[in-house]
Amino acid sequence: MKAVIMAGGRGKRIASLDSSIPKPMFRLCGKPILEYQLQWLKKQEIDEVILVTGYLGHVIREYFGDGTGAAPEGGRNIGIPLKYINEESPLGTAGALYYLKDTMKEDFLLINGDIIFDIDLERFYKAHQTFGGLATILTHPNDHPFDSGIIEADEKGLVRKWLHKEDKRKWYGNRVNAGIHILSPGLFLHAERRGLFKQPQRVDLDREILRPLIEDRQLYAYMSPEYVKDMGTPERYRMVERDLLKGKVEKRNLSRRQKAVFLDRDGTMNEYRGYIRTPEDLVLLPGTGKAVKRLNESGYLVIVVTNQPVIARGELTEEQLREIHDRMETLLGEQGAYVDDIFYCPHHPDGGFPGEVASLKIPCSCRKPEPGMLLKAADKYNIDLKNSWMAGDSERDMRAGKAAGCHTAGVGGLQNADFTCGSLAEFVDFLLGREEGD
């Protein structure tokens, strides 16, 4: 597979750190962002990398040369052949693809040049092949969704809506475009039919190439909790440098075993108000945002597992449940926190409710105290259950956690748990304090 890196960015917000180099050449722990990217691509056995340069592009070319150290001008020996497309005038985030339309005959990777990441490419590519669309974008939750592009996709990964920063939004799921894409060659024909790539011109990748694929059901999203962060501001830059020093970046690659904290929802994260039927009914408990944020920063995956029998009883649709969870993710995002995924059980074994959904009135393996949701998450994210925790406020949460092989934390003074605590915040204090002690 070939890879294309869009390395022409100037980085206006981060230029205060150093305006003499292009954004992809900013150094983290003594090494340019772009060098981290190229070293990762080498590990993934990428055949060739095409660097699209612009602002101060000569700095990149002089540093890397042809990637093998064999070019007349020398350069860093990365071990991957490098080619360059230099934009004499800015062509936006996708205009330079015009120069590749006749040479890209197979699926290829397209990466933003200002991100640090470590992902399992094999998983990502298998998902793209399964989806069968013209493009698959990697999406992830982040700690600033309010100023990011939000992707809405169905359970099969098909993108239904793309909200840009300027688009009106109320409640939204924290599923953000990460800047890593797998594109199929048919994408060029799709763009040409819309009048693009007839000649070199300024083109916006998200708005003019990818977003129009939604109507034709050709755009898919691959959701991943793996490490992907941009260096858009000096604050994020310093955060990424800390994460590199701690080894956090490579640990989140899903080829490695992950640790998770599974959280019950009602009574653990938000106020218990019986069955919640509207977004406004969901109110986070004090300290929830801060506790979840600390788990995010610690490297634990944070996964919600919740029984929702109101769906089987016909009192709530799955779309309405999505809106409730969108509010929860919005409220967490406002505090710089996020959950990596949400699993819910829509079943209920008992009948006799007006409007009930007969197909969901069944015994199942996912309704807590059964461990099905935890086991499904473990399979999806390569989770080491014996080093993970289930935190909840009911006996069924504890039984589900134990059945899955996890440690258990009883919230609200719940006994019969490995650790009993008054709140989620107290549990996080205990968990992270114990790890610091180790």
Side-chain angles (χ1 to χ4, degrees):
M1 180 184 284
K2 294 181 180 180
V4 178
I5 301 179
M6 308 303 288
R10 183 170 184 173
K12 294 180 181 178
R13 289 182 296 174
I14 201 173
S16 60
L17 296 178
D18 190 344
S19 60
S20 67
I21 57 175
K23 190 175 181 181
M25 293 300 288
F26 274 83
R27 290 176 178 266
L28 290 156
C29 304
K31 192 161 60 178
I33 296 167
L34 197 50
E35 189 165 351
Y36 285 102
Q37 294 188 346
L38 291 170
Q39 288 176 338
W40 178 82
L41 291 170
K42 181 183 179 182
K43 284 195 299 182
Q44 303 297 322
E45 300 183 352
I46 294 297
D47 302 321
E48 179 182 276
V49 177
I50 299 162
L51 294 170
V52 178
T53 61
Y55 176 72
L56 297 178
H58 67 279
V59 175
I60 295 174
R61 191 161 195 144
E62 289 167 4
Y63 187 90
F64 292 106
D66 71 350
T68 67
E73 64 269 27
R76 186 79 50 150
N77 186 352
I78 296 296
I80 309 176
L82 302 180
K83 292 184 178 179
Y84 294 85
I85 296 174
N86 189 63
E87 298 178 346
E88 297 298 332
S89 58
L91 297 177
T93 51
L97 294 181
Y98 164 82
Y99 298 105
L100 302 175
K101 65 176 183 173
D102 297 324
T103 60
M104 290 298 195
K105 304 299 182 183
E106 298 178 349
D107 297 341
F108 64 97
L109 195 62
L110 180 66
I111 303 170
N112 292 356
D114 63 346
I115 55 176
I116 289 292
F117 61 92
D118 197 325
I119 68 169
D120 187 337
L121 181 58
E122 183 178 357
R123 279 178 178 246
F124 185 22
Y125 189 44
K126 281 183 178 178
H128 175 71
Q129 291 175 309
T130 300
F131 294 150
L134 293 178
T136 302
I137 56 178
L138 190 143
T139 62
H140 68 143
N142 74 13
D143 57 9
H144 54 99
F146 43 82
D147 69 351
S148 303
I150 299 293
I151 308 297
E152 292 185 8
D154 66 16
E155 67 281 355
K156 295 181 179 179
L158 184 66
V159 176
R160 306 188 306 175
K161 188 183 294 186
W162 189 322
L163 298 173
H164 294 289
K165 297 178 187 178
E166 67 272 17
D167 293 329
K168 222 177 151 183
R169 56 177 84 171
K170 186 177 181 183
W171 313 124
Y172 47 88
N174 191 337
R175 192 175 186 138
V176 172
N177 179 17
I180 304 175
H181 326 71
I182 295 179
L183 308 180
S184 296
L187 181 74
F188 292 108
L189 181 58
H190 186 276
E192 286 178 340
R193 287 173 180 163
R194 299 179 47 255
L196 300 174
F197 297 146
K198 302 289 186 183
Q199 59 189 12
Q201 64 187 104
R202 193 177 185 93
V203 179
D204 185 284
L205 176 67
D206 294 350
R207 292 167 176 78
E208 296 181 82
I209 302 295
L210 297 177
R211 191 170 178 174
L213 294 175
I214 297 174
E215 185 176 348
D216 294 330
R217 301 174 66 85
Q218 289 294 323
L219 182 63
Y220 287 83
Y222 169 74
M223 181 66 169
S224 173
E226 293 167 295
Y227 193 101
V228 185
K229 286 193 185 296
D230 70 85
M231 258 61 63
T233 66
E235 293 75 20
R236 291 178 204 162
Y237 173 88
R238 285 187 281 269
M239 180 188 301
V240 172
E241 192 161 48
R242 288 196 299 270
D243 290 342
L244 282 167
L245 289 169
K246 292 178 181 177
K248 181 178 174 181
V249 179
E250 61 183 16
K251 287 180 181 178
R252 291 299 289 265
N253 186 303
L254 289 181
S255 65
R256 295 170 175 258
R257 299 285 275 169
Q258 302 295 309
K259 296 188 298 183
V261 172
F262 297 96
L263 296 178
D264 173 53
R265 195 191 76 180
D266 302 331
T268 302
M269 300 180 69
N270 55 277
E271 294 179 5
Y272 181 79
R273 298 184 171 188
Y275 291 128
I276 290 179
R277 295 178 175 82
T278 70
E280 289 69 25
D281 287 338
L282 188 140
V283 178
L284 293 180
L285 286 165
T288 294
K290 182 178 179 181
V292 172
K293 181 178 174 64
R294 292 182 65 201
L295 290 174
N296 298 147
E297 293 171 347
S298 74
Y300 275 92
L301 299 183
V302 180
I303 298 175
V304 176
V305 287
T306 176
N307 289 349
Q308 291 298 318
V310 282
I311 296 175
R313 289 165 51 165
E315 298 170 10
L316 197 70
T317 66
E318 294 192 73
E319 186 60 35
Q320 288 170 326
L321 179 63
R322 177 195 285 266
E323 292 175 3
I324 291 169
H325 285 156
D326 284 352
R327 172 178 164 87
M328 179 180 72
E329 293 201 70
T330 301
L331 296 176
L332 287 171
E334 289 172 351
Q335 300 182 58
Y338 56 85
V339 297
D340 291 289
D341 208 340
I342 301 171
F343 291 81
Y344 64 89
C345 170
H347 307 110
H348 194 278
D350 301 330
F353 297 92
E356 65 186 23
V357 181
S359 61
L360 299 177
K361 304 298 290 186
I362 57 171
C364 65
S365 61
C366 55
R367 178 175 166 81
K368 294 179 294 184
E370 298 298 322
M373 288 186 283
L374 287 76
L375 298 178
K376 185 177 179 180
D379 181 64
K380 185 175 181 180
Y381 296 124
N382 194 19
I383 294 171
D384 180 3
L385 289 168
K386 71 178 183 299
N387 285 312
S388 298
W389 285 78
M390 173 73 224
D393 68 329
S394 72
E395 180 63 28
R396 60 178 173 268
D397 296 323
M398 302 302 97
R399 289 171 59 191
K402 290 175 182 178
C406 295
H407 303 290
T408 54
V411 178
L414 184 69
Q415 303 298 313
N416 194 25
D418 296 316
F419 176 72
T420 298
C421 53
S423 66
L424 177 58
E426 185 181 333
F427 162 62
V428 173
D429 283 341
F430 158 77
L431 177 63
L432 301 188
R434 191 181 72 160
E435 297 222 333
E436 289 172 4
D438 294 341

